[in-house]
Amino acid sequence: YENTPLITSLDSTNYRQGTNDYLMFRPIAQVANGIDLKQFIGLVKQNYPALVEQTTVGKPLLTFPTKKFFLDVDTAAVWNSGIIPAERRGQLVKRMEWSLRGNILEKKNLIILDMIQANQWKRPIYFSTTVNTTDFMGLMPYFQLEGLAYRLLPCKNPQADPRQNGFVAREIMHENMMKKSRYRGLDNSSIFYDENGLRFPANSRDKLSILAESHLAAGDKARAKQVIDAAFRWMPDAAVPYDYYTPQFIGPLVEVGERAKANEIMDVMSARAAKSLAYYTTHDPQQLFDNEVRMNIIILQNLAIAAQQIGDQDRFQKFQMLFGQYYNPNGGM
């Protein structure tokens, strides 16, 4: 309660229960090419008549007139604040531009947009890597991955990791993932994790593989190997079974001289996937195994991609054959 409150411009009357629970997309030609986010929030605040749509039932609803937004940036002030890493100065933009997806703007998204325009980079704004990507609202090109969260910055990297649509802050991420994070109990095989619980260590595996790849891209094999070794030490297969992110380590393992480990992972995972899929095909499809089937097919696909990348044609052909055996492009098995 003693901390500084969130920096927003909307009043509680603009977002109290039953008010602006969602805004529908209703295009207005004059702003088809985009609208200033600050201006749009101001229009929402005053319930601007042109954005109000009458309904046959209940009270009128606010709308948003375009999916394209922009926000001007005081680059000198932002740079002087010290929040931009030195290597990203050339990526600092004078104007952020992005597009929303879908035809509904939920209240939570409206408040986040308000925070972004009102905050003016005074306090850091982060998006968790575990949230649905639709909640990123098209802002991914301005994300900086720092661990298990993305920081929003007025920097756009044209060569960003295509898996992330953002910039991997290698040094910050290494400090956060390798020194500040704690992976307690994930090496204990006596602890049971259900499918929901396993999603969190899977996310950590994904980010550790990205960090290892980032080190390799920078020519730092020593730290890449350190990250990879730690990932399998903190989350061994015996406690947290290999998941669909694990094949991402295959290429980096080979690059740091651990081909035997890469082969072991591919053989173990492919055998498990084949066994699981063979089981599901002998049981009633009404038993709702769709998710399990999909995950095992994805694993085979990812293994095939990894094997091809490291030049292992025998395993590539094997995984491709298994994938083709169970994959049905029309749905089902």
Side-chain angles (χ1 to χ4, degrees):
Y1 289 104
E2 297 177 357
N3 205 349
T4 306
L6 292 175
I7 303 173
T8 58
S9 62
L10 292 175
D11 298 325
S12 60
T13 55
N14 298 120
Y15 54 78
R16 64 178 47 159
Q17 186 173 0
T19 302
N20 292 330
D21 291 333
Y22 62 90
L23 280 66
M24 296 294 295
F25 174 55
R26 292 293 182 268
I28 295 178
Q30 292 91 326
V31 291
N33 293 324
I35 188 172
D36 184 335
L37 178 59
K38 186 173 183 179
Q39 178 188 8
F40 170 69
I41 295 297
L43 296 176
V44 171
K45 185 174 183 177
Q46 59 181 288
N47 289 307
Y48 191 66
L51 299 184
V52 176
E53 180 168 298
Q54 301 298 324
T55 61
T56 56
V57 180
K59 60 183 180 180
L61 296 176
L62 273 185
T63 64
F64 61 103
T66 179
K67 296 183 182 182
K68 297 180 180 180
F69 291 85
F70 62 84
L71 180 65
D72 291 328
V73 178
D74 184 342
T75 53
V78 171
W79 177 253
N80 291 333
S81 71
I83 65 174
I84 308 299
E87 69 271 20
R88 302 205 67 192
R89 182 165 191 170
Q91 299 171 7
L92 186 59
V93 296
K94 295 181 179 180
R95 170 176 285 188
M96 295 172 61
E97 298 177 323
W98 69 98
S99 297
L100 299 179
R101 298 176 182 175
N103 295 320
I104 294 178
L105 183 65
E106 294 184 57
K107 180 186 293 185
K108 60 181 179 180
N109 304 125
L110 176 65
I111 299 303
I112 292 170
L113 290 174
D114 184 24
M115 289 170 55
I116 291 171
Q117 66 85 24
N119 184 55
Q120 289 296 308
W121 316 107
K122 295 182 176 66
R123 295 170 70 177
I125 294 178
Y126 283 86
F127 288 75
S128 172
T129 59
T130 59
V131 304
N132 192 309
T133 55
T134 57
D135 287 331
F136 293 160
M137 297 181 289
L139 288 162
M140 294 87 75
Y142 303 100
F143 282 0
Q144 176 171 284
L145 183 62
E146 299 185 358
L148 299 181
Y150 300 104
R151 183 171 184 172
L152 182 69
L153 288 174
C155 293
K156 190 174 184 180
N157 181 8
Q159 298 178 329
D161 181 346
R163 282 198 349 237
Q164 300 302 316
N165 295 301
F167 179 85
V168 179
R170 189 165 63 97
E171 297 300 331
I172 299 173
M173 191 171 180
H174 189 93
E175 179 74 14
N176 288 338
M177 297 293 293
M178 298 295 292
K179 299 179 181 179
K180 294 183 178 180
S181 297
R182 296 292 178 267
Y183 304 83
R184 294 184 292 266
L186 296 177
D187 59 350
N188 187 345
S189 59
S190 66
I191 297 176
F192 171 75
Y193 297 96
D194 63 15
E195 62 271 21
N196 290 315
L198 287 173
R199 290 193 179 103
F200 294 97
N203 184 46
S204 294
R205 270 189 179 143
D206 176 44
K207 301 309 175 288
L208 286 167
S209 75
I210 291 171
L211 177 59
E213 290 173 358
S214 181
H215 282 320
L216 287 172
D220 193 342
K221 284 191 177 182
R223 281 207 292 179
K225 188 176 187 306
Q226 180 188 359
V227 172
I228 295 168
D229 290 345
F232 290 107
R233 183 174 68 252
W234 291 332
M235 295 172 284
D237 177 54
V240 180
Y242 296 145
D243 53 59
Y244 52 90
Y245 287 123
T246 306
Q248 295 171 186
F249 285 96
I250 302 300
L253 277 166
V254 172
E255 285 196 56
V256 299
E258 296 285 349
R259 182 173 282 271
K261 178 66 174 177
N263 291 344
E264 178 262 332
I265 290 173
M266 288 190 288
D267 292 341
V268 168
M269 293 192 71
S270 62
R272 285 178 184 167
K275 183 177 181 180
S276 296
L277 289 168
Y279 172 84
Y280 297 132
T281 56
T282 62
H283 285 68
D284 184 353
Q286 301 300 318
Q287 303 248 333
L288 304 179
F289 290 135
D290 289 355
N291 187 60
E292 288 80 0
V293 169
R294 183 168 59 253
M295 286 299 102
N296 280 284
I297 288 177
I298 290 173
I299 285 172
L300 288 175
Q301 183 180 37
N302 290 344
L303 287 172
I305 293 171
Q308 186 177 42
Q309 288 175 341
I310 64 173
D312 190 335
Q313 287 302 311
D314 290 340
R315 285 186 172 86
F316 169 67
Q317 294 294 338
K318 176 184 176 182
F319 302 153
Q320 277 288 82
M321 182 187 69
L322 285 170
F323 175 78
Q325 181 179 344
Y326 293 106
Y327 175 66
N328 180 355
N330 297 318
M333 292 184 293

